[in-house]
């Protein structure tokens, strides 16, 4: 048709001819091979720019035996509606995908909750170069599945129930200590931890230990209000607050091992007429955005989400490149809002 533009595809042969070198020299020069002299490399680069030559990244990756993709698996509770997933994990997912992109990798995201959809063979099927697993520790079947992945599988995780798997976690001990000391310096003395010392979630155990140590260091006795297992986190916090309020036990502050539990407790105690933060101070852990919009807004310990994503991607890439690393801790900070005294 008249006026129709003809698209001409430029190949490495065209660049080689324009630069008066072989095709293999073009490939090596564009890949940064140090055996190519600087004048030759510059001549190839100039020819490629002049011809508007675009490197076929997919083909280049296949030649290197890489896909340029990282898989991210989100473990959910079995039969859990995806909209009910803890928003903390969506923040973590976003930071992980952003960190992968910054390293030049695409991400392939998969939500998995039951044995019929567990799958981690991305590397074997050449769908990804490695895998990051994120999610709830309570799905023990999922963690058992990933623990038994074939030797040589490149992966790391957030939320692992033990130290046998490659992991990245918040600095839970320091964060819980920071939360407890924050309450202590604001005059709260009868501080109760809502959580579990026997939870399969390693981070909850660490947070209780950090709280208990801070209490003992202040000459005070740690007190744990155990949550009921198998319930949504906010409901666990609500029921724990009911148990506290009806126990007759004196308390003036709560450290909850996650924000959802803290929000459940805050709503229940407010409904019962407790003045927050004057009578009862409440602090959580995770820094989820919902805490900023509660009444009053929730004071929390927030991990550096950007750093969390970066550390998981860096640890995975180290494994892909043949380097084994130990577990990594993500720094945390105190976010002071209205649920604790100013």
């Amino acid at each position: 048709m008249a006026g129709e533009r003809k698209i001409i595809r430029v190949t490495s042969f065209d660049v080689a001819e324009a630069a008066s070198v072989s095709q293999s020299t073009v490939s090596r020069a564009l890949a940064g091979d140090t055996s190519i002299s600087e004048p030759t490399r510059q001549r190839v680069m100039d020819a490629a720019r002049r011809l508007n030559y675009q490197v076929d990244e997919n083909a280049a990756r296949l030649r290197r035996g890489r896909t340029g993709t990282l898989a991210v698996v989100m473990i959910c509770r079995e039969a859990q509606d995806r909209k009910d997933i803890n928003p903390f994990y969506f923040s973590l997912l976003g930071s992980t995908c952003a960190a992968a992109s910054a390293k030049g990798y695409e991400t392939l995201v998969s939500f998995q909750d039951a044995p019929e959809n567990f799958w981690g063979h991305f590397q074997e099927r050449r769908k990804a170069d490695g895998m990051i697993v994120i999610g709830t520790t309570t799905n023990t079947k999922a963690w058992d599945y990933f623990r038994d992945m074939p030797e040589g599988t490149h992966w790391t995780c957030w939320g692992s129930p033990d130290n046998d798997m490659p992991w990245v976690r918040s600095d839970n001990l320091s964060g819980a200590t920071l939360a407890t000391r924050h309450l202590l310096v604001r005059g709260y003395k009868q501080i109760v931890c809502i959580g579990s010392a026997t939870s399969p979630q390693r981070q909850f155990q660490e947070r209780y230990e950090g709280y208990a140590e801070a209490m003992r260091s202040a000459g005070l006795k740690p007190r744990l209000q155990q949550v009921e297992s198998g319930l949504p986190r906010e409901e666990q916090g609500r029921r724990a607050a009911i148990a506290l309020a009806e126990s007759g036990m004196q308390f003036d502050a709560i450290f909850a091992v996650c924000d959802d539990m803290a929000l459940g407790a805050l709503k229940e105690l407010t409904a019962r007429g407790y003045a927050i933060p004057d009578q009862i101070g409440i602090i959580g852990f995770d820094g989820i955005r919902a805490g900023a919009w509660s009444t009053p807004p929730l004071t929390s310990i927030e991990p550096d989400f950007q750093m969390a994503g970066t550390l998981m991607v860096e640890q995975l890439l180290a494994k892909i490149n043949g380097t084994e690393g130990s577990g990594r801790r993500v720094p945390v900070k105190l976010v002071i809002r209205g649920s604790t005294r100013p």
Side-chain angles (χ1 to χ4, degrees):
M1 291 177 62
E4 187 177 88
R5 295 178 62 188
K6 185 177 181 181
I7 298 174
I8 300 174
R9 184 171 178 271
V10 178
T11 67
S12 60
F13 175 81
D14 299 314
V15 177
E17 191 173 60
S20 300
V21 296
S22 67
Q23 278 184 273
S24 64
T25 298
V26 169
S27 299
R28 286 156 55 207
L30 294 177
D33 191 326
T34 55
S35 68
I36 304 297
S37 69
E38 183 55 29
T40 300
R41 189 192 71 82
Q42 194 56 56
R43 197 161 70 249
V44 170
M45 297 294 290
D46 290 344
R49 275 193 295 270
R50 206 165 51 245
L51 296 171
N52 196 28
Y53 174 69
Q54 303 295 319
V55 177
D56 187 337
E57 287 293 342
N58 289 331
R61 286 166 181 159
L62 288 172
R63 284 194 297 271
R64 296 194 298 267
R66 299 282 178 86
T67 66
T69 299
L70 302 180
V72 184
V73 174
M74 181 83 83
I75 294 178
C76 319
R77 289 190 178 87
E78 194 161 355
Q80 181 181 35
D81 191 316
R82 301 304 184 250
K83 69 176 173 27
D84 294 329
I85 294 172
N86 188 333
F88 171 83
Y89 292 119
F90 284 114
S91 296
L92 204 55
L93 174 64
S95 67
T96 301
C97 293
S101 179
K103 293 288 187 180
Y105 282 81
E106 296 178 348
T107 45
L108 174 63
V109 179
S110 171
F111 289 78
Q112 303 183 20
D113 67 344
E116 57 266 24
N117 62 37
F118 294 158
W119 200 78
H121 299 279
F122 301 94
Q123 190 179 330
E124 296 169 54
R125 301 290 178 85
R126 297 183 64 80
K127 291 180 176 292
D129 299 324
M131 172 176 63
I132 293 171
V133 180
I134 297 171
T136 177
T137 309
T138 58
N139 193 331
T140 54
K141 292 178 182 177
W143 290 107
D144 288 343
Y145 170 85
F146 287 104
R147 184 186 283 108
D148 293 335
M149 290 299 296
E151 187 174 348
T153 300
H154 304 314
W155 74 297
T156 191
C157 65
W158 183 289
S160 63
D162 54 51
N163 288 333
D164 295 335
M165 293 176 256
W167 55 267
V168 175
R169 292 194 194 107
S170 293
D171 191 345
N172 295 305
L173 282 166
S174 295
T177 300
L178 182 61
T180 308
R181 288 177 178 169
H182 169 74
L183 293 170
L184 289 167
V185 299
R186 278 157 176 75
Y188 301 105
K189 300 298 180 186
Q190 298 170 314
I191 307 168
V192 178
C193 177
I194 289 180
S196 173
T198 58
S199 169
Q201 294 197 269
R202 181 88 182 185
Q203 63 267 33
F204 287 179
Q205 296 176 35
E206 293 175 348
R207 291 171 193 178
Y208 173 72
E209 290 163 8
Y211 150 81
E213 180 56 35
M215 290 291 282
R216 285 190 287 263
S217 295
L220 300 170
K221 184 179 179 180
R223 294 158 59 188
L224 175 67
Q225 180 61 50
Q226 185 86 17
V227 297
E228 299 177 45
S229 61
L231 297 171
R233 296 297 181 210
E234 190 168 317
E235 181 63 14
Q236 286 179 325
R238 191 185 74 82
R239 293 195 186 191
I242 292 172
L244 272 176
E246 296 181 352
S247 69
M249 180 172 63
Q250 295 297 307
F251 67 100
D252 63 4
I254 289 171
F255 164 56
V257 296
C258 75
D259 279 353
D260 273 342
M261 289 182 191
L263 290 169
L266 188 155
K267 290 176 184 177
E268 179 61 31
L269 293 176
T270 299
R272 286 173 174 262
Y274 287 90
I276 312 294
D278 295 331
Q279 283 181 276
I280 308 291
I282 302 179
I283 187 169
F285 199 122
D286 280 345
I288 65 173
R289 296 283 76 85
W293 304 106
S294 61
T295 305
L298 180 67
T299 297
S300 182
I301 300 296
E302 180 179 302
D304 185 332
F305 286 104
Q306 182 176 347
M307 179 63 71
T310 297
L311 288 181
M312 282 193 285
V313 169
E314 286 182 351
Q315 182 160 289
L316 179 57
L317 294 181
K319 288 177 178 294
I320 291 170
N321 293 321
T323 303
E324 288 293 327
S326 58
R328 307 287 296 275
R329 293 284 181 184
V330 175
V332 298
K333 67 178 180 180
L334 173 66
V335 179
I336 302 173
R337 298 193 183 107
S339 65
T340 54
R341 293 173 189 152

